[in-house]
Amino acid sequence: MAKQRQWRQNARMAPASTLRRRFHILTLLLSLSLPLGCAAERDHSWTIDARRYAVAADHPDASAAGAEILAMGGNAVDAAVATSFALAVVRPESCGLGGGGFMLIHRKGMAPVGLDYREQAPAGIRRDLYRDANGNPDPMRIQRGGLSVGVPGTVRGLLHALEAYGSGRVTRAQIIAPAIRLANRALVVDAHLAESIESFREAAEKDPAIARRFRELRQALIDSDGRARTRVDRSSMAITLEAIADRGADGFCDGEIARNIVRAVRNDGGVMTREDLAAYRVREVTPLRGSYLGHDVIGMPPPSSGGAVILETLNILHALDDDRIRAAYDWDYIGNNRSSAPPGLSRYAVNLSDPESMWGLYAHLLIESMKPAFADRATLLGDASPNVAADVAGMLDPARAKRIAEGIDERHAAPWTRYDKGSLAAIDGGTSHLSVIDADGMAVACTESVNLLFGSRILAPDTGVILNDTMDDFALDTTTPNAFGLRQSERNIVRAGARPLSSMSPTIVLKDGDVRLVVGASGGPRIITSTLQTLLHVVVGDRRVNDAVAEPRLHQQWLPDIVYVQPTMRDGVRAKLTQRGHTLKERKDIGHVQAIERLADGSLRAACDPMKGGRPAGK
Ligand code: GLY
């Protein structure tokens, strides 16, 4: 161990990532033909250090809303709720009152709690509603429009969190006030929203039926000349937020706003009723717990698949041997002297006389550990499982992790068929994650979604509320591909009253009972892999969270049998993954992570994924 520590210490003296970053900056400067020294400053606004509290959300105004509430004496839950209401205004493409989510809460002296306010299938849903005139499944009916809308849970979820776990020192009206202020001024379109609007604009331009059908959304996002707006009017959302501030959940689930929402959904062929809205209940759930390298890892249970997949992967990594994983990590990310193998690898390395062969071993072992966990996600999890608790216990059984680890070959990628049980995993996009730590060490990890960008595309008139299309997180049947050409098992089949399987993975990591890391992401199934990789950078590599968030990521979800890598993934890793038999494909972004780390001296470091444009706030 002493030798191992020394190797890591030496390696840290000139971290490879620093050299790589310098190289990237140099390349950028050269490509822009700028004189060195003129633009050497990097934009660090996506990470901050704080002594007392911090909020990391994927929009600067949302982080600021949470920090404002903390400055008033609110706790982490008060701040998370304020942040989420603000996100409902400024990230309409990703989340909002028409969607749902999960919130994980840690407070010292209290068992961790999970809140499930995931959307739910309306009581009137039947599978045959998703069939066309010839009786064939019609995926378009579950992806967009009225039948794609699940009963939204966000408003009830946030208000439940506030009542049960808020500090009581800040009123509901004070917590919603920053969001109302944001809604009363035009929303300046940032890069992420612009890209999202552009994809809708292109779809509407190509197919005038889309423009007609979703005209409320079209008018909100696109001007009369067909140009994407650079400012979006969110003032009707202010009215909805005021109703919630005044009347609580009734302000949303009852009265004029509920009527407008239900009418908009039913006018587009949906079946949701006001009774569905009134009957919706938040579920308090016991989080899943596991441990890895001396840390407690807390995740959401089903209908999230994230907690189970992350914990199963960590169990397999542990079964592969902690020293081996640490050493392989150091080789790829930290070491600057690669002429000799780090001690932890000496028992395992492919070919010690050829240190180059160790490149990519960490990525390979990670991919091979994620593969079976994602296969389990696809085949075991879903609201229709006869015994979800037993399924999850099976996934997390250490003996099973050991058997899987024993079958992993460090030279070769396993074929996907090794884990084949006959069904495939889902993929999707319109989600937002926020992390909060307050001055008392209370922590919240919260992920919310409307599923695809702008959800169902139904904007309920006069409410500012965009309804989700989370029904597409269900499987229509086991053979019909979903929006992305993928299939899932019978256990996640669309069914009245059920909640669809989710990839949302709010995660809290504790060390000796205190919060060490709050992390989560947006990005469909890439939520799981990007959350996991950030956690591993901190726990295995002892890296700071800003480095962890900025490292290039990979994604493998069992099927399709492809490893997606970000373009900045180092060449050595790519080459060696290909050599081991993985099929690689570049993808611009792999999840958008928002995370906060508590350092040994009790101070905080927060980081928002530079790819989505968030900025943390804190003090
Ligand atoms: N709608 C994204 C997810 O829950 O996985």
Side-chain angles (χ1 to χ4, degrees):
M1 275 319 275
K3 213 168 144 204
Q4 174 87 34
R5 265 198 306 274
Q6 186 58 45
W7 195 90
R8 287 164 72 84
Q9 214 170 358
N10 292 344
R12 284 218 180 82
M13 286 168 69
S17 56
T18 306
L19 297 176
R20 230 178 4 261
R21 273 195 302 275
R22 284 179 197 148
F23 175 76
H24 285 318
I25 292 168
L26 188 65
T27 319
L28 186 69
L29 289 174
L30 292 175
S31 69
L32 293 173
S33 304
L34 289 174
L36 270 177
C38 161
E41 290 286 307
R42 289 176 66 225
D43 176 12
H44 286 290
S45 60
W46 52 272
T47 177
I48 59 159
D49 289 327
R51 291 230 60 87
R52 299 185 58 225
Y53 54 74
V55 183
D58 61 19
H59 192 289
D61 292 340
S63 298
E68 180 179 328
I69 298 304
L70 288 164
M72 290 167 71
N75 68 10
V77 168
D78 297 329
V81 172
T83 305
S84 172
F85 275 117
L87 284 168
V89 178
V90 297
R91 279 275 172 249
E93 73 275 32
S94 301
C95 58
L97 310 187
F102 300 134
M103 187 185 290
L104 208 53
I105 304 169
H106 158 81
R107 184 167 65 197
K108 232 178 145 69
M110 176 188 98
V113 174
L115 300 183
D116 164 8
Y117 48 98
R118 176 84 163 146
E119 299 90 327
Q120 183 167 303
I125 278 295
R126 299 186 320 267
R127 274 165 85 171
D128 63 271
L129 292 173
Y130 298 104
R131 294 190 181 273
D132 63 20
N134 300 320
N136 298 318
D138 180 1
M140 285 320 293
R141 296 182 188 211
I142 204 165
Q143 284 163 25
R144 299 290 190 186
L147 282 171
S148 72
V149 180
V151 183
T154 295
V155 173
R156 283 197 194 277
L158 295 179
L159 297 185
H160 177 92
L162 208 51
E163 277 155 31
Y165 302 101
S167 67
R169 294 187 290 270
V170 197
T171 65
R172 182 171 71 210
Q174 286 172 312
I175 284 168
I176 300 177
I180 295 175
R181 273 200 323 267
L182 290 169
N184 275 324
R185 62 177 206 229
L187 171 62
V188 177
V189 173
D190 69 357
H192 188 270
L193 179 54
E195 218 174 291
S196 308
I197 294 175
E198 187 52 26
S199 71
F200 174 67
R201 198 194 64 78
E202 277 173 13
E205 197 174 73
K206 232 183 268 161
D207 182 355
I210 289 178
R212 276 196 303 277
R213 184 174 173 193
F214 303 113
R215 65 182 168 282
E216 289 283 340
L217 186 66
R218 190 193 174 283
Q219 277 161 10
L221 303 179
I222 298 164
D223 69 18
S224 49
D225 295 326
R227 285 187 305 243
R229 294 190 191 279
T230 53
R231 283 170 186 262
V232 174
D233 179 4
R234 300 291 283 140
S235 56
S236 50
M237 176 63 94
I239 297 166
T240 301
L241 290 166
E242 274 160 13
I244 297 167
D246 287 348
R247 298 178 53 219
D250 284 351
F252 183 81
C253 302
D254 193 21
E256 192 57 26
I257 291 167
R259 259 196 300 279
N260 283 351
I261 287 173
V262 168
R263 195 183 303 126
V265 171
R266 295 183 75 89
N267 280 348
D268 196 71
V271 295
M272 191 171 79
T273 61
R274 289 183 61 189
E275 289 69 33
D276 286 321
L277 277 179
Y280 185 93
R281 292 289 171 268
V282 177
R283 294 180 187 162
E284 285 222 6
V285 294
T286 304
L288 300 179
R289 299 188 76 151
S291 62
Y292 188 58
L293 297 179
H295 293 74
D296 293 323
V297 181
I298 303 172
M300 272 303 286
S304 166
S305 62
V309 170
I310 287 174
L311 291 175
E312 180 176 348
T313 307
L314 292 176
N315 284 351
I316 299 169
L317 289 172
H318 174 61
L320 283 166
D321 191 309
D322 293 343
D323 281 351
R324 181 191 195 185
I325 296 301
R326 278 200 184 100
Y329 179 93
D330 281 2
W331 186 269
D332 275 358
Y333 287 100
I334 297 178
N336 66 332
N337 173 10
R338 293 196 173 85
S339 56
S340 67
L345 275 187
S346 54
R347 277 175 286 149
Y348 299 101
V350 182
N351 178 0
L352 281 175
S353 63
D354 174 16
E356 278 299 299
S357 68
M358 277 171 279
W359 271 109
L361 179 58
Y362 171 77
H364 171 72
L365 294 176
L366 178 60
I367 291 163
E368 292 302 301
S369 303
M370 295 187 313
K371 233 181 244 181
F374 267 97
D376 284 343
R377 176 206 193 274
T379 51
L380 292 177
L381 298 181
D383 237 9
S385 161
N387 188 343
V388 184
D391 293 333
V392 172
M395 285 174 72
L396 303 186
D397 178 2
R400 186 161 170 271
K402 192 161 178 290
R403 277 198 304 278
I404 293 171
E406 281 164 2
I408 291 177
D409 178 346
E410 67 180 39
R411 293 177 180 82
H412 301 292
W416 69 269
T417 46
R418 177 180 301 173
Y419 305 110
D420 183 20
K421 295 170 202 153
S423 50
L424 316 181
I427 190 168
D428 40 22
T431 302
S432 175
H433 176 81
L434 68 97
S435 297
V436 185
I437 300 180
D438 71 15
D440 296 322
M442 187 181 193
V444 172
C446 177
T447 315
E448 298 177 331
S449 181
V450 288
N451 195 33
L452 299 176
L453 293 169
F454 302 115
S456 63
R457 293 179 173 161
I458 296 176
L459 169 57
D462 305 324
T463 65
V465 175
I466 294 173
L467 276 312
N468 69 84
D469 66 330
T470 299
M471 295 299 287
D472 193 46
D473 276 338
F474 281 116
L476 264 182
D477 58 35
T478 57
T479 53
T480 307
N482 74 354
F484 305 92
L486 304 174
R487 290 167 288 168
Q488 300 185 90
S489 83
E490 274 289 340
R491 292 181 174 191
N492 190 35
I493 217 77
V494 63
R495 188 170 52 90
R499 297 187 185 188
L501 196 57
S502 170
S503 294
M504 295 188 288
S505 313
T507 303
I508 297 177
V509 179
L510 306 182
K511 178 88 178 138
D512 303 324
D514 286 322
V515 62
R516 167 91 202 274
L517 177 71
V518 184
V519 61
S522 47
R526 296 170 299 276
I527 291 172
I528 301 175
T529 47
S530 54
T531 300
L532 173 66
Q533 285 167 86
T534 307
L535 182 159
L536 289 169
H537 284 304
V538 172
V539 170
V540 178
D542 196 17
R543 308 275 300 284
R544 298 288 69 82
V545 78
N546 52 313
D547 278 341
V549 164
E551 281 288 2
R553 291 187 277 269
L554 55 83
H555 175 74
Q556 214 281 354
Q557 57 175 46
W558 178 49
L559 282 169
D561 190 10
I562 288 170
V563 177
Y564 295 92
V565 293
Q566 286 189 283
T568 49
M569 180 66 74
R570 43 196 74 67
D571 292 340
V573 173
R574 284 170 191 253
K576 293 298 171 181
L577 285 178
T578 304
Q579 205 176 76
R580 286 181 170 95
H582 298 282
T583 304
L584 266 52
K585 210 168 179 175
E586 269 194 10
R587 212 193 131 93
K588 187 178 77 172
D589 47 7
I590 292 180
H592 295 135
V593 179
Q594 322 299 327
I596 309 177
E597 180 193 11
R598 197 151 178 262
L599 304 169
D601 67 358
S603 66
L604 305 172
R605 180 164 292 183
C608 293
D609 202 309
M611 296 287 288
K612 194 163 178 184
R615 212 180 294 157
K619 192 172 164 193

